[in-house]
Amino acid sequence: MKHWILQPMYIGVITLLGAFLLYGIVGAPDRSVPCVQESLKERHVCLSTVLEQWGNDVLWVDARNKKAFQYGHVQGALWLPEKDVENQLAIPESMEAIGMAGVEGRKVVVYCASDGCGAADFVANAIHATGFHSEIYVLHGGWKAIYPERQKLTLRLR
Amino acid sequence: MMSLRVGLYFLFTVCMLSASDFAFDTQHQKVSVAEGAEKIEVLFPFKNASQDLAKIVRYDAPCACIAVQVSGGIKDVKTGSVFFESGGEGVVKAVFKLAAVKGSITKKVLVWTGKDSRERPSIQLTVEVLIPERMIVTPRSLHWQLHGDREAQTVLLRTKGSEPMRIVKCSCSHSQVEYALETIKEGYEYQLRVRPHSTKKVLFAALRLYTDSKYPRYQVEHVFVTVKPKKK
């Protein structure tokens, strides 16, 4: 009977020790969004590509709702929510920002909440339709990919 | 040795109980909606096709525009998990707020079963919503080259469907754009002639065409105007 009590206790203690040891060696869990540029759809981009190859010299476009944008976004990002994208695009400041990014040779990178939100694709298509800019990309993983890499980007957080 | 066997058997039983096997009729739905639809409900019926008790521990959509509900099964109020006996049926309902968008939108609904990790739900349901266009604008964007000629360009606007939709007003975001709207067939066909005052400066502008549609998503159409240098 004693075994039934002691055995799970031993297992528990060993598991906990193992977990602490692993945390000590490997560190905090990796919450970054895995991304392989070659496997992505056309006009989709990994955050690592943006940071390493484009030097973060891009125009960020946030396609999430107002609440999410106000909670945090990439510094300087243009807010173009999916549900009102055409009207927001027709605002002079938005047109100027996107158009001048094209003239200056800066790429546009659109992000939404995560990989499955779909808003970034919709907004990227809407921007493309304006003809202001031809190099528009969708960030794989969206904000979920950006936030864990906040040391490498300038974010504006509430 | 005996206790190890008992332990392994116990572990196996726990694993089997937590494993699940939900079979959906379809995991991808293409839905066409009516012109004035503000929200739609998309249903994904499913069945617990495994021999064991299975549970859905979480359901969500990465877009705030979708509310997800699960019906059927027995809900554990404390944890929010929904349990389904072998052969038990249920429905995942996605309520999609369409707002003023039109065109094709693809959204996902994520469902986590008892065996999934927090980061990776095993069930991904896709909804492709087709919201009809009421006006075909050809082309949607006009370009002039910087320092090039400023010849007028024409945009054709045609109402889709049998019901008429009139253009009642036209305006431009920039004073440096000349435009003239011509009616070809009232409520059905219009022509817009556009040119910039000058091509000496870079210009990004939008022409707004207001219609008499009763639905907000069709009340404004845009035509975008650009004067910019040729891409190197």
Side-chain angles (χ1 to χ4, degrees):
Chain A
M1 192 61 188
K2 204 175 160 189
H3 270 84
W4 283 96
I5 302 163
L6 286 174
Q7 212 169 21
M9 272 178 65
Y10 290 145
I11 293 169
V13 170
I14 292 165
T15 311
L16 273 172
L17 282 171
F20 280 120
L21 195 69
L22 198 68
Y23 190 91
I25 297 166
V26 182
D30 179 14
R31 299 202 191 280
S32 62
V33 175
C35 184
V36 179
Q37 187 62 57
E38 291 71 33
S39 64
L40 296 183
K41 282 195 282 183
E42 202 186 343
R43 297 285 174 194
H44 280 235
V45 68
C46 293
L47 183 61
S48 58
T49 307
V50 179
L51 297 173
E52 290 158 20
Q53 293 183 24
W54 303 345
N56 196 19
D57 185 25
V58 299
L59 173 67
W60 290 97
V61 173
D62 193 318
R64 299 173 301 157
N65 63 22
K66 196 171 186 177
K67 199 175 160 189
F69 180 78
Q70 284 175 337
Y71 179 77
H73 56 265
V74 179
Q75 180 90 34
L78 191 64
W79 180 56
L80 296 177
E82 177 190 35
K83 67 176 187 177
D84 193 32
V85 65
E86 258 203 50
N87 285 319
Q88 290 291 330
L89 262 173
I91 293 171
E93 292 76 21
S94 305
M95 293 189 284
E96 193 71 16
I98 293 166
M100 287 315 291
V103 172
E104 290 160 4
R106 285 189 298 142
K107 293 170 174 68
V108 173
V109 181
V110 190
Y111 64 88
C112 53
S114 67
D115 198 29
C117 66
D121 283 279
F122 188 77
V123 170
N125 287 338
I127 298 172
H128 197 265
T130 63
F132 294 155
H133 202 308
S134 56
E135 288 195 85
I136 301 133
Y137 295 85
V138 171
L139 181 73
H140 179 78
W143 181 254
K144 214 171 163 185
I146 292 170
Y147 192 72
E149 302 291 338
R150 56 192 176 277
Q151 312 295 343
K152 299 175 189 168
L153 285 148
T154 313
L155 301 187
R156 189 169 180 162
L157 301 168
R158 187 189 265 181
Chain B
M1 195 64 187
M2 183 64 184
S3 58
L4 183 70
R5 251 188 234 168
V6 171
L8 283 172
Y9 179 75
F10 177 72
L11 196 69
F12 177 72
T13 313
V14 168
C15 287
M16 285 306 288
L17 276 172
S18 65
S20 62
D21 192 5
F22 291 105
F24 283 79
D25 293 353
T26 177
Q27 287 190 228
H28 180 98
Q29 290 205 46
K30 207 171 182 177
V31 189
S32 292
V33 300
E35 286 172 9
E38 287 174 6
K39 67 175 185 179
I40 53 158
E41 289 183 4
V42 185
L43 305 177
F44 291 94
F46 65 87
K47 190 178 176 180
N48 176 7
S50 74
Q51 298 298 310
D52 310 294
L53 185 71
K55 65 174 176 178
I56 287 174
V57 295
R58 197 182 146 200
Y59 41 91
D60 201 359
C63 177
C65 56
I66 300 177
V68 187
Q69 295 160 16
V70 172
S71 58
I74 300 157
K75 191 166 184 177
D76 180 350
V77 186
K78 236 179 183 177
T79 62
S81 296
V82 190
F83 292 83
F84 294 87
E85 286 179 3
S86 175
E89 293 179 355
V91 176
V92 174
K93 182 163 87 173
V95 182
F96 194 160
K97 279 188 227 156
L98 300 171
V101 292
K102 54 195 176 214
S104 171
I105 309 165
T106 304
K107 295 286 174 189
K108 277 182 186 166
V109 172
L110 309 174
V111 180
W112 283 260
T113 67
K115 63 180 178 183
D116 299 341
S117 71
R118 203 174 139 227
E119 296 297 315
R120 290 184 192 279
S122 60
I123 302 165
Q124 291 199 11
L125 310 169
T126 316
V127 187
E128 194 181 340
V129 188
L130 298 165
I131 305 153
E133 296 274 357
R134 275 288 278 131
M135 188 165 273
I136 307 298
V137 183
T138 324
R140 175 87 51 188
S141 60
L142 302 170
H143 306 259
W144 282 267
Q145 206 176 305
L146 189 68
H147 304 301
D149 59 38
R150 58 177 203 106
E151 209 172 299
Q153 294 185 32
T154 307
V155 178
L156 286 173
L157 304 118
R158 282 200 190 97
T159 304
K160 215 176 160 189
S162 56
E163 286 294 307
M165 190 167 79
R166 287 167 194 84
I167 294 176
V168 291
K169 195 179 139 194
C170 183
S171 69
C172 187
S173 65
H174 208 290
S175 59
Q176 292 298 304
V177 180
E178 293 171 19
Y179 57 93
L181 184 71
E182 191 187 319
T183 304
I184 298 171
K185 190 181 174 189
E186 182 68 21
Y188 294 95
E189 207 171 335
Y190 297 86
Q191 187 175 279
L192 185 66
R193 285 184 69 78
V194 187
R195 70 171 181 174
H197 280 315
S198 157
T199 58
K200 285 178 184 163
K201 275 185 181 175
V202 169
L203 172 76
F204 304 103
L207 282 150
R208 283 175 179 265
L209 299 134
Y210 298 88
T211 74
D212 66 350
S213 173
K214 59 181 172 182
Y215 303 120
R217 72 167 58 97
Y218 303 118
Q219 284 168 358
V220 185
E221 291 289 341
H222 293 94
V223 172
F224 295 95
V225 176
T226 313
V227 176
K228 63 179 179 182
K230 202 177 176 184
K231 210 178 169 192
K232 289 165 199 168

